[in-house]
């Protein structure tokens, strides 16, 4: 059985994977290179999804540590996606190593921190809402149920069963009219 915290961790991993893929793809369009497609997009999805799956396995109780891990994972996923697109060609902004300028690096880091804070907040709110709903369900289902009404008249349903007629197991005596001799 999964707990709300476990489901929130899975949601955190999914959000890290999706957000890092979207940020990487959108950052690819800024210099005019266009959205990645084909194998480049497939590899970016694979890399970012793998980072998201790895983040979903980490159990952290402290929100600050969770924020730093999620922001670092978003940054790593973006960097790996950027490297994949750079190696695939068509992602050359400048002569800087790997095509990363200081402005682009700052934009990626800022986006990672802001989205990391949003993902950590969503994870926390999911756990709170799930636990509140579990408590409400306990109170909603444990209410006093009205007594079951019993019918006042007794009914006796007599139905002729076809099995006695068709099976030959019914009465074997001759009819009353034939029995008088």
């Amino acid at each position: 059985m999964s707990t709300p915290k476990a489901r929130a961790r899975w949601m955190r991993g999914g959000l890290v994977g999706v957000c890092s893929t979207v940020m990487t793809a959108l950052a690819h369009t800024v210099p005019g290179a266009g959205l990645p497609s084909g194998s480049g997009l497939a590899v970016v999805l694979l890399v970012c999804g793998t980072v998201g799956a790895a983040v979903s396995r980490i159990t952290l109780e402290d929100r600050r540590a969770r924020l730093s891990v999620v922001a670092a994972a978003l940054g790593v996923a973006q960097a790996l996606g950027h490297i994949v697109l750079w190696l695939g060609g068509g992602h050359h902004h400048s002569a800087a190593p790997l095509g990363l300028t200081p402005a682009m690096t700052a934009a990626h880091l800022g986006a990672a921190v802001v989205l990391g804070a949003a993902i950590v907040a969503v994870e926390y709110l999911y756990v709170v809402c799930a636990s509140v709903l579990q408590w409400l369900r306990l109170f909603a289902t444990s209410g006093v149920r009205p007594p079951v009404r019993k019918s006042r008249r007794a009914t006796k349903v007599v139905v002729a069963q076809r099995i006695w007629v068709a099976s030959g197991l019914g009465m074997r005596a001759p009819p009353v009219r034939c029995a008088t001799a």
Side-chain angles (χ1 to χ4, degrees):
M1 183 171 110
S2 64
T3 63
K5 285 187 178 185
R7 289 189 304 268
R9 282 197 333 256
W10 298 338
M11 185 178 61
R12 175 197 336 147
L15 286 173
V16 166
V18 168
C19 290
S20 59
T21 301
V22 169
M23 283 191 303
T24 302
L26 290 179
H28 189 260
T29 63
V30 171
L35 282 173
S37 61
S39 63
L41 180 61
V43 174
V44 168
L45 281 168
L46 182 65
V47 166
C48 293
T50 303
V51 171
V55 169
S56 71
R57 299 295 298 165
I58 299 172
T59 304
L60 296 167
E61 296 299 324
D62 185 27
R63 275 190 275 177
R64 289 183 187 159
R66 195 177 308 136
L67 173 62
S68 61
V69 167
V70 169
L74 285 167
V76 166
Q78 287 181 68
L80 291 174
H82 188 84
I83 290 170
V84 164
L85 291 175
W86 181 73
L87 290 174
H91 193 63
H92 303 284
H93 314 300
S94 66
L98 297 177
L100 289 172
T101 62
M104 179 186 289
T105 304
H108 277 293
L109 290 177
V113 170
V114 169
L115 275 175
I119 290 171
V120 168
V122 166
E123 179 184 4
Y124 176 73
L125 290 175
Y126 178 84
V127 171
V128 168
C129 290
S131 62
V132 166
L133 287 175
Q134 284 178 346
W135 277 102
L136 287 176
R137 186 184 68 180
L138 285 175
F139 290 116
T141 59
S142 68
V144 177
R145 297 180 188 255
V148 178
R149 296 181 71 181
K150 297 180 182 178
S151 65
R152 293 186 180 177
R153 56 187 159 137
T155 59
K156 187 173 183 182
V157 178
V158 178
V159 177
Q161 296 181 0
R162 289 188 67 73
I163 191 166
W164 294 117
V165 176
S167 69
L169 296 176
M171 297 177 63
R172 301 296 272 179
V176 175
R177 282 179 267 151
C178 296
T180 56

